[in-house]
């Protein structure tokens, strides 16, 4: 079993962006998922892309011929289904979970979370208001997978609820990450066309 793995979730429907295939939307000279995978590869080569059952894997294999692309085993389970599929396929002790719509994800933040998760069931960034960042977090697969599989069986798709059930999760204050990423751009995600415009201006 490998120590680290990274799951890139690319199964979102992009409804707030006119139903476009969000991971394949161009941001400057690359697709959004290319930005994310490129940063992730600086942390681990053990990476796979999770897509939903209605997406065509050939579009992703064309961009990343050497990376595995998995269709969710569980239909309609949202990000949780993608995480479960990824954990089963990657065979890693710890997995980082990333969303394809966070093009500024910071490799140093990921390295920090992988370092902090040692001895815990998860390392999950938390904002001052208590909001968690479950899609830029690291999970111990042995702890997370049984709870996630049970939740899917019960048609419960909340990652927040699973984190609450973990015996020993570590909440990492985002304030501590400012030493690595002062503006916390790592968490900026693109859900709307307005977000895309803002991302373009951030690149400028």
């Amino acid at each position: 079993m490998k120590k680290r793995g990274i799951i890139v979730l690319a199964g979102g429907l992009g409804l707030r962006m006119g139903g476009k295939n969000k991971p394949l939307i161009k941001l400057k000279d690359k697709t959004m998922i290319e930005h994310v995978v490129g940063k992730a590869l600086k942390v681990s080569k053990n990476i796979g892309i999770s897509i939903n059952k209605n997406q065509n894997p050939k579009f992703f294999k064309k961009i990343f011929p050497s990376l595995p692309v998995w269709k969710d085993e569980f239909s309609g389970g949202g990000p949780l289904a993608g995480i479960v599929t990824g954990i089963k396929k990657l065979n890693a002790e710890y997995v980082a979970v990333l969303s394809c719509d966070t093009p500024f994800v910071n490799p140093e933040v990921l390295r920090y979370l992988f370092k902090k998760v040692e001895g815990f069931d998860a390392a999950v960034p938390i904002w001052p208001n208590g909001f968690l960042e479950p899609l830029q977090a690291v999970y111990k697969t042995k702890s997370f997978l049984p709870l996630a599989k049970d939740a899917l069986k019960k048609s419960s798709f909340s990652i927040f609820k699973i984190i609450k059930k973990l015996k020993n999760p570590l909440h990492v204050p985002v304030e501590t990450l400012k030493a690595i990423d002062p503006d916390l751009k790592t968490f900026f995600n693109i859900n709307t066309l307005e977000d895309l415009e803002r991302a373009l201006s951030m690149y400028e």
Side-chain angles (χ1 to χ4, degrees):
M1 178 179 280
K2 294 180 180 178
K3 186 78 170 178
R4 296 179 178 182
I6 299 177
I7 302 166
V8 179
L9 300 172
L13 299 177
L15 296 177
R16 284 184 281 174
M17 301 190 74
K20 293 180 180 179
N21 197 347
K22 185 156 59 165
L24 302 180
I25 290 174
K26 279 285 184 79
L27 179 60
K28 297 295 280 187
D29 57 337
K30 299 178 185 175
T31 60
M32 280 211 284
I33 196 167
E34 283 179 279
H35 286 286
V36 175
V37 170
K39 307 281 179 55
L41 283 169
K42 294 180 179 179
V43 180
S44 173
K45 305 300 181 189
N46 187 27
I47 293 178
I49 299 167
S50 176
I51 63 176
N52 69 51
K53 288 191 172 184
N54 296 318
Q55 288 171 295
N56 191 332
K58 76 176 184 181
F59 295 117
F60 299 92
K61 292 299 287 183
K62 187 176 180 180
I63 302 172
F64 308 109
S66 63
L67 294 184
V69 179
W70 317 297
K71 286 197 174 190
D72 292 349
E73 295 176 5
F74 190 98
S75 185
L80 185 60
I83 296 172
V84 168
T85 301
I87 288 176
K88 287 181 179 179
K89 302 285 188 181
L90 277 183
N91 192 31
E93 186 178 354
Y94 297 98
V95 295
V97 175
L98 298 175
S99 175
C100 71
D101 62 3
T102 52
F104 302 106
V105 61
N106 190 316
E108 292 304 319
V109 168
L110 292 182
R111 290 192 185 98
Y112 181 80
L113 293 175
F114 270 120
K115 183 179 177 182
K116 297 298 285 186
V117 78
E118 298 281 344
F120 294 92
D121 290 327
V124 187
I126 185 170
W127 292 86
N129 64 0
F131 181 78
L132 299 175
E133 292 282 356
L135 301 186
Q136 194 164 146
V138 175
Y139 302 100
K140 186 175 183 179
T141 56
K142 189 168 69 173
S143 303
F144 189 90
L145 186 59
L147 293 173
K149 287 166 69 176
D150 184 60
L152 288 176
K153 284 180 185 175
K154 296 174 180 175
S155 296
S156 174
F157 308 131
S158 171
I159 302 171
F160 299 104
K161 289 181 179 178
I162 293 172
I163 293 169
K164 281 186 176 181
K165 289 181 179 179
L166 291 170
K167 291 180 181 178
N168 194 23
L170 174 69
H171 292 154
V172 180
V174 298
E175 295 300 312
T176 66
L177 300 177
K178 285 185 175 180
I180 304 169
D181 186 357
D183 297 320
L184 297 175
K185 289 198 296 184
T186 193
F187 298 116
F188 181 81
N189 67 316
I190 297 173
N191 286 315
T192 65
L193 293 173
E194 288 76 18
D195 292 337
L196 184 60
E197 288 296 321
R198 188 173 161 208
L200 285 168
S201 67
M202 288 165 73
Y203 262 107
E204 300 301 335

